[in-house]
């Protein structure tokens, strides 16, 4: 029956999803647990923040590879039975997503499902993938907030699926998948509402400032910082530098790296 086939596909795909790339790379290669750092999630963003880009491609390959394998398995199984391959792909993707977020092998503590979910949309339809990923990238590039793009991905996926595949069962599964992603990002949504979310480089609301939103630099503190850079007269007189004075005193731009000069004053950040 269809119910048994759907359950079998989701169960097999769930075990595919349990092979969490961030956890496996951190545990078997780095000899650490990524969940002990940062946000505590076994996802790509937390892995990158914790360990850098050295092994990030390996995590991407693992999480995307398992999702592709699960979706291909579901589609092939349903097509062999004469049913809709898209339904099999979505069921397998949902099972893989559940395994990624709640892996039975790692105490049901996994990632938030963005990388695997972002792979599912391409496996269903490239048009849905464009809607989800273009919006994600635009929001990230404008604000530097991964979580804002992730919220867009979870919210836009079911509506894009409904537009291209107005089948009640497929739309229902898409809404379940989107709701799962949004639920995993509920704390990020709260922080974004209060403009307290963290972006990838840990700067405070730089992207939102560029759009005219978010907390702006305190003008009094900025003026004080500007005045502190003005050269002060030396008590001993003379033209030579004071032996106890830093080498860059009196020259605001001299001890500041070239790529930081002026940026701190414009953004209200300390160089």
């Amino acid at each position: 029956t269809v119910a048994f086939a759907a359950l079998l596909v989701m169960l097999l795909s769930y075990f595919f999803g349990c092979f969490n790339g961030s956890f496996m790379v951190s545990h078997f290669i780095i000899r650490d647990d990524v969940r002990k750092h940062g946000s505590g999630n076994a996802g790509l963003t937390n892995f990158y923040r914790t360990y850098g880009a050295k092994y990030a491609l390996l995590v991407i390959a693992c999480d995307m590879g398992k999702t592709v394998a699960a979706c291909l398995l579901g589609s092939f199984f349903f097509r062999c039975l004469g049913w809709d391959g898209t339904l099999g792909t979505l069921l397998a993707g949902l099972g893989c997503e559940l395994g990624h977020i709640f892996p039975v092998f790692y105490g049901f503590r996994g990632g938030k499902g963005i990388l695997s979910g972002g792979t599912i949309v391409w496996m269903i339809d490239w048009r849905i993938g464009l809607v989800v990923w273009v919006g994600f990238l635009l929001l990230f590039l404008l604000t530097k907030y991964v979580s804002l793009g992730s919220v867009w991905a979870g919210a836009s996926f079911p509506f894009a699926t409904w537009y291209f595949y107005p089948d009640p069962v497929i739309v229902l599964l898409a809404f379940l998948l989107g709701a799962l992603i949004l639920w995993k990002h509920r704390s990020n949504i709260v922080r974004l509402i209060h403009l307290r979310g963290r972006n990838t480089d840990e700067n405070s609301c730089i992207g939102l400032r560029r759009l005219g939103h978010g907390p702006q630099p305190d003008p009094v503190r900025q003026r004080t910082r500007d005045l502190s850079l003005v050269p002060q007269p030396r008590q001993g007189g003379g033209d030579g530098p004071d032996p106890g004075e830093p080498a860059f005193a009196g020259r605001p731009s001299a001890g500041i790296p070239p790529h930081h000069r002026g940026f701190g004053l414009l953004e209200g950040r300390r160089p």
Side-chain angles (χ1 to χ4, degrees):
T1 63
V2 178
F4 176 77
L7 183 61
L8 181 61
V9 166
M10 289 190 66
L11 184 61
L12 291 174
S13 300
Y14 171 82
F15 286 107
F16 272 87
C18 287
F19 292 95
N20 186 287
S22 297
F23 177 83
M24 291 195 301
V25 172
S26 66
H27 181 74
F28 293 108
I29 297 180
I30 305 177
R31 300 297 180 182
D32 194 11
D33 188 347
V34 66
R35 299 173 300 177
K36 295 180 180 179
H37 308 281
S39 63
N41 293 304
L44 176 64
T45 303
N46 192 42
F47 183 93
Y48 176 78
R49 285 172 176 163
T50 304
Y51 304 113
K54 184 176 181 179
Y55 297 107
L57 286 178
L58 190 57
V59 174
I60 294 173
C62 180
D63 286 345
M64 293 186 69
K66 72 182 183 185
T67 308
V68 170
C71 291
L72 290 177
L73 176 66
S75 177
F76 176 77
F77 190 70
F78 266 56
R79 290 182 189 276
C80 287
L81 296 176
W83 299 328
D84 188 2
T86 302
L87 179 59
T89 300
L90 193 49
L91 283 169
L94 181 58
C96 186
E97 188 82 346
L98 288 171
H100 180 81
I101 297 175
F102 308 107
V104 66
F105 303 136
Y106 315 127
F108 300 98
R109 291 177 56 203
K112 293 186 176 181
I114 285 299
L115 185 56
S116 56
T119 307
I120 294 170
V121 299
W122 290 113
M123 298 301 295
I124 296 173
D125 194 305
W126 64 269
R127 296 170 296 181
I128 300 176
L130 281 180
V131 172
V132 172
W133 276 96
V134 168
F136 175 91
L137 292 175
L138 283 177
L139 287 171
F140 169 68
L141 292 175
L142 288 174
T143 67
K144 303 301 180 185
Y145 278 79
V146 177
S147 55
L148 189 59
S150 302
V151 171
W152 161 264
S156 64
F157 169 63
F159 292 99
T161 304
W162 169 75
Y163 181 81
F164 293 110
Y165 292 90
D167 180 271
V169 178
I170 292 178
V171 172
L172 175 62
L173 292 174
F175 269 93
L176 288 175
L177 185 56
L180 180 63
I181 292 175
L182 291 177
W183 179 76
K184 286 298 295 181
H185 286 81
R186 60 193 184 279
S187 59
N188 301 89
I189 294 174
V190 173
R191 285 198 296 267
L192 286 170
I193 291 175
H194 295 89
L195 299 177
R196 290 187 289 110
R198 294 188 305 171
N199 53 19
T200 51
D201 55 4
E202 299 295 331
N203 294 329
S204 57
C205 303
I206 298 301
L208 293 178
R209 286 176 188 167
R210 289 171 180 167
L211 296 178
H213 306 289
Q216 301 296 322
D218 184 1
V220 176
R221 294 181 61 187
Q222 180 174 337
R223 177 172 175 79
T224 304
R225 188 180 299 117
D226 294 348
L227 292 176
S228 67
L229 297 175
V230 176
Q232 301 296 327
R234 299 184 178 88
Q235 296 181 356
D239 298 329
D242 191 343
E245 183 177 55
F248 55 85
R251 295 183 295 126
S253 63
I256 304 174
H259 59 283
H260 281 181
R261 293 175 185 172
F263 185 72
L265 301 182
L266 291 175
E267 296 289 357
R269 296 167 53 201
R270 192 180 301 277

